[in-house]
Amino acid sequence: MFNPEKLIIRPASIRDIDFVVTTIIEAEKSSTDKIGPANYFEISEDDYRKYLHQMLEEEIDGCEISINNFVVAEYEGETVAARGGWLEGDNEEGLPSSMIKSNLFAYFLPTENLLKGKNKYDIVKGLMIEREMGTYQLEFSYTKPEFRGYHIMAMLDAYHINKAKEKGAKKIQVHVSKGNAKALKARERSGFHAVGYFTSDHPQVKEYYPDDTIVLFEREV
């Protein structure tokens, strides 16, 4: 039986990379079988895992693909849940996370796959959200199925909320696929409200991404 007193909430470390990779992929699937970036660049799930692993090993802050931005839940020595979050623009150069992420992909992905993605830009450009500087961004969450129902993600979110306060953020934002009803309700229950919708009306968008609409949620810190 689950004993909450045995649960440890801590910052992720290099030893958690495999679990964080799984967290990113499962979050990107958004309850579907589509991994948006992998489809976009036409790479297999196994290769995408490999590239994410390499990116996370770099420990580059300022975007969602940084091991330092993740918090994990550990139960009896096993990592069972993870949640990512960071303050937008909080890096040495003050760069937007989209630029840092693009640089990571440009460095690690083969040129031929980058070109394949470039040719699809018009299909997904409506889903490309520019994150607001100075806001705390929540991105990517996953809990092992056997540990769901114990409110572990709420504990990880609370950790990030406290971190947002420490960094002086005024609000927290999170993006959710419109079709992920469970995630939408979870955001509303945790005090978030929808403030924007970003849609691609291209007929092929759902061939590559889980949904054609992303909902932007936010709440005050």
Side-chain angles (χ1 to χ4, degrees):
M1 181 177 291
F2 179 77
N3 181 353
E5 294 182 359
K6 295 183 178 181
L7 193 71
I8 298 172
I9 306 297
R10 60 170 176 79
S13 66
I14 290 295
R15 66 187 173 95
D16 299 303
I17 283 184
D18 286 340
F19 190 87
V20 169
V21 168
T22 294
T23 295
I24 292 172
I25 287 177
E26 291 302 316
E28 285 179 336
K29 286 181 178 179
S30 190
S31 300
T32 70
D33 60 353
K34 295 182 176 69
I35 308 171
N39 294 334
Y40 183 74
F41 292 110
E42 296 185 27
I43 53 181
S44 68
E45 180 172 336
D46 286 343
D47 281 343
Y48 187 47
R49 283 182 177 274
K50 178 185 69 176
Y51 296 133
L52 285 174
H53 200 287
Q54 292 171 347
M55 293 179 205
L56 289 165
E57 285 181 332
E58 293 296 307
E59 298 185 74
I60 296 176
D61 291 332
C63 76
E64 57 266 46
I65 307 178
S66 170
I67 194 67
N68 300 324
N69 292 335
F70 280 84
V71 178
V72 300
E74 182 180 303
Y75 188 77
E76 296 185 328
E78 175 186 4
T79 306
V80 300
R83 168 60 118 172
W86 72 97
L87 183 68
E88 182 70 4
D90 186 23
N91 53 79
E92 290 184 4
E93 296 82 12
L95 297 175
S97 59
S98 58
M99 183 177 295
I100 297 173
K101 181 179 179 181
S102 293
N103 289 341
L104 280 169
F105 275 77
Y107 184 80
F108 285 101
L109 267 59
T111 301
E112 62 181 296
N113 297 98
L114 293 171
L115 291 174
K116 288 177 180 179
K118 184 178 181 180
N119 292 335
K120 298 184 187 72
Y121 180 73
D122 286 343
I123 298 175
V124 301
K125 64 181 179 181
L127 303 179
M128 303 300 180
I129 303 171
E130 194 66 31
R131 301 178 191 270
E132 185 178 343
M133 285 289 185
T135 60
Y136 198 89
Q137 300 288 315
L138 289 178
E139 188 80 10
F140 303 138
S141 62
Y142 173 70
T143 305
K144 283 188 172 182
E146 63 269 32
F147 287 92
R148 294 171 187 170
Y150 298 121
H151 309 292
I152 296 174
M153 195 53 59
M155 300 179 202
L156 297 179
D157 280 353
Y159 184 105
H160 279 294
I161 291 171
N162 287 333
K163 190 175 179 181
K165 291 177 180 178
E166 292 173 1
K167 288 183 172 291
K170 301 301 181 184
K171 58 185 176 182
I172 301 174
Q173 296 181 329
V174 61
H175 306 142
V176 181
S177 293
K178 187 179 179 181
N180 193 337
K182 186 175 180 180
L184 293 173
K185 290 180 180 178
R187 291 301 97 204
E188 292 170 351
R189 285 197 303 269
S190 55
F192 286 81
H193 58 281
V195 296
Y197 296 82
F198 299 83
T199 299
S200 170
D201 56 7
H202 196 287
Q204 290 180 284
V205 66
K206 287 190 175 181
E207 295 178 19
Y208 300 100
Y209 279 76
D211 209 310
D212 61 4
T213 301
I214 300 294
V215 185
L216 173 61
F217 281 87
E218 69 178 36
R219 57 162 285 179
E220 293 182 356
V221 176

